[in-house]
Amino acid sequence: MTSQPTLNKAGDGPGKPGEPGSGLQAGLKNRHLSMIAIGGVIGAGLFVGSSSGIATAGPGILLSYALVGTLVVLVMRMLGEMSAANPTSGSFSAHADRALGPWAGFSIGWLYWFFWVVVLAVEATAGAKILEGWIPAVPQWGWALIVMVVLTATNLASVGSYGEFEFWFAGIKVVAIAAFIVVGGLAVFGLLPGVDSEQAGLANLTEHGGFLPNGAGAILTGVLLVVFSFMGSEIPTLAAGESEDPQRAVTKATNSIIWRIAVFYLGSIFVVVALLPWDSQSIVDQGSYVAALDSLGIANAGQIMNFIVLTSVLSCLNSGLYTASRMAFSLGERGDAPKAFARTTSRGVPRTAILVSVVFGFVAVFFNYEFPDSVFLFLVNSSGAVALFVWLVICFSQLRMRRIIQAEAPERLVVRMWLFPYLTWAAAAVIVFVLGYMLTDTEHNGRTTVLLSLLVAALVLVVAVVKQRVAARKALAGRD
């Protein structure tokens, strides 16, 4: 139907079995994909970033999470429709290339790659801070280096190694947050024996100024603070290209997104705001989840949460490097990046794409330590709105791709967007509204993030247009 990166099972492909350059291999098992899909929506941002949202919107932060969660469900449904019809490691970038034009695939692919290499630096630094607190003999930069090297080696070994590491990282996250919800929920309803939690109760949702203590407008501000913690939901559609049954993997991940967001995001945040008053100083000082565990009298709550956050950081690093390298691989396959990016080892690993991605990650880590308030701050802000750009491109791509799929291979429409095209247009309108609202936000750096992200996006778009025109001229010259 569309051109896509070569996918081979081990021993198949254009070259002889085991020859370098034989393409990606189906090394991810169904259990890997299932856990990647579940863990993909649980980022470190949920654990460390929710406290600012609670302080801003109070218990009403639940509505902020519900709004963003609904938007993510709709966007994932659109992406699932396109990816189930054409599983590819380029995912939305490859779909945009076909639906909107090469300029769109080029632009959103490189922006997404840029986002994840910056995330590598952010997460490596966050993990290094925790590890240095445990073993101060190794400096923070040393821990960042160790973490990056280990996960680079994992990704270079094989896609199966990435899948196995992510299976266990995500598994720890899932078990931890599920236990938190169960234990906290029992405490909220007074069913947890041996725990003295006088503050806990549903009354915390309406007392202390009411459900919306700072007004309805705080819900939108809360949206700005939580929207980026959902980035990563799209990873299963990229990983599906290297799975045993890509179509089944995409369909399963798409269909389960609703309960994953409802349980892990809304469920855990509900427990936090029900265990403690939203304006409790401990939420600000300790972080929402640590404060919630402390309120139950659980010993070493801070260290327990540090371990969970470290696991989330390592999971995000592992997936970030994998995602950035596969996007670079797809760009190389389509001629939007150096051809070396599309070369693979005998194990089906795009080694050059991984190494280039991690080198830029190392550079970003260096900037974080040497120029944290200038160069690195620019990198973080200029990549901050990429999530919203990606979601918007998915919306417009799906509007066109639905008609292409129906015309060329209607039997591949095993996942369908609900109420097409109305919900697609509604989701796009909400994303544009959020971007516009961010331009009014000076308190939480929203305006700076959008403006710098738009600047970088404009530069990438100019390169894409110039590249497309040069290619068109060469094609015309070749015909003459």
Side-chain angles (χ1 to χ4, degrees):
M1 191 180 111
T2 64
S3 60
Q4 63 182 60
T6 307
L7 174 63
N8 303 301
K9 296 209 174 189
D12 297 333
K16 294 179 182 178
E19 275 192 354
S22 58
L24 300 179
Q25 295 180 2
L28 293 177
K29 300 177 181 178
N30 288 331
R31 67 180 178 88
H32 293 154
L33 262 294
S34 296
M35 196 56 74
I36 290 169
I38 294 172
V41 293
I42 310 173
L46 174 63
F47 299 109
V48 300
S50 55
S51 56
S52 59
I54 293 172
T56 299
I61 194 65
L62 285 167
L63 296 181
S64 301
Y65 274 102
L67 285 172
V68 179
T70 301
L71 179 60
V72 171
V73 167
L74 295 178
V75 171
M76 278 298 295
R77 187 74 183 183
M78 299 175 219
L79 183 55
E81 177 181 296
M82 295 184 288
S83 295
N86 181 34
T88 165
S89 287
S91 189
F92 51 84
S93 174
H95 303 322
D97 190 294
R98 175 74 193 276
L100 305 177
W103 63 269
F106 177 98
S107 301
I108 204 64
W110 277 113
L111 285 173
Y112 191 69
W113 178 85
F114 171 58
F115 170 85
W116 279 111
V117 294
V118 174
V119 166
L120 291 179
V122 174
E123 299 295 340
T125 304
K129 286 181 180 178
I130 295 173
L131 289 167
E132 185 191 29
W134 292 342
I135 309 177
V138 179
Q140 193 179 115
W141 66 266
W143 280 119
L145 181 65
I146 291 170
V147 167
M148 291 276 278
V149 168
V150 169
L151 292 179
T152 299
T154 300
N155 275 264
L156 285 172
S158 69
V159 68
S161 298
Y162 155 72
E164 200 63 33
F165 267 70
E166 191 58 23
F167 176 82
W168 292 106
F169 285 153
I172 292 171
K173 286 192 293 184
V174 169
V175 170
I177 202 165
F180 175 82
I181 292 171
V182 171
V183 173
L186 290 174
V188 168
F189 293 101
L191 302 175
L192 190 64
V195 172
D196 180 21
S197 182
E198 297 179 357
Q199 298 181 92
L202 296 179
N204 284 325
L205 300 177
T206 54
E207 293 180 354
H208 308 281
F211 186 71
L212 296 172
N214 296 324
I219 297 174
L220 290 177
T221 305
V223 166
L224 304 186
L225 296 174
V226 307
V227 66
F228 303 109
S229 65
F230 284 83
M231 193 65 169
S233 303
E234 69 291 333
I235 291 176
T237 65
L238 283 92
E242 294 175 85
S243 68
E244 297 169 338
D245 188 349
Q247 191 176 76
R248 178 178 177 272
V250 170
T251 303
K252 188 175 180 180
T254 302
N255 290 336
S256 64
I257 187 72
I258 297 176
W259 72 260
R260 286 186 276 131
I261 288 176
V263 171
F264 296 121
Y265 276 84
L266 292 177
S268 64
I269 294 297
F270 167 80
V271 167
V272 170
V273 295
L275 282 176
L276 287 168
W278 70 272
D279 54 356
S280 171
Q281 187 60 37
S282 61
I283 292 179
V284 177
D285 294 341
Q286 299 175 283
S288 53
Y289 288 81
V290 173
L293 290 175
D294 257 347
S295 74
L296 298 177
I298 295 177
N300 301 311
Q303 292 303 324
I304 293 172
M305 192 51 59
N306 272 341
F307 173 74
I308 296 170
V309 171
L310 178 63
T311 303
S312 296
V313 164
L314 295 176
S315 172
C316 192
L317 266 171
N318 194 38
S319 288
L321 182 53
Y322 170 84
T323 303
S325 65
R326 267 39 177 199
M327 185 57 71
F329 170 84
S330 177
L331 289 167
E333 281 257 317
R334 288 178 274 138
D336 290 336
K339 291 181 180 179
F341 284 20
R343 295 185 190 133
T344 57
T345 66
S346 59
R347 290 177 174 266
V349 175
R351 182 165 52 199
T352 302
I354 290 174
L355 292 176
V356 170
S357 298
V358 82
V359 163
F360 275 86
F362 277 125
V363 170
V365 169
F366 170 77
F367 285 145
N368 193 11
Y369 286 108
E370 291 297 320
F371 312 104
D373 299 321
S374 53
V375 179
F376 187 71
L377 186 61
F378 170 80
L379 291 176
V380 172
N381 285 332
S382 60
S383 65
V386 167
L388 293 169
F389 295 165
V390 167
W391 295 348
L392 194 59
V393 167
I394 289 172
C395 291
F396 290 129
S397 297
Q398 192 262 339
L399 286 169
R400 178 73 191 277
M401 280 298 292
R402 164 66 75 89
R403 293 178 174 83
I404 294 174
I405 297 169
Q406 284 178 326
E408 297 183 359
E411 71 280 1
R412 294 192 179 185
L413 276 173
V414 294
V415 176
R416 289 175 177 264
M417 177 60 184
W418 307 296
L419 296 177
F420 177 82
Y422 307 109
L423 276 183
T424 301
W425 280 112
V430 170
I431 296 169
V432 172
F433 173 79
V434 171
L435 285 169
Y437 189 77
M438 286 180 71
L439 289 172
T440 69
D441 175 46
T442 55
E443 182 180 354
H444 301 99
N445 222 25
R447 177 182 294 177
T448 302
T449 297
V450 172
L451 291 177
L452 288 179
S453 296
L454 284 173
L455 173 63
V456 172
L459 292 174
V460 174
L461 187 59
V462 168
V463 174
V465 172
V466 170
K467 178 182 177 297
Q468 190 170 340
R469 288 185 177 178
V470 169
R473 287 176 183 172
K474 287 182 178 179
L476 285 174
R479 293 174 187 173
D480 295 338

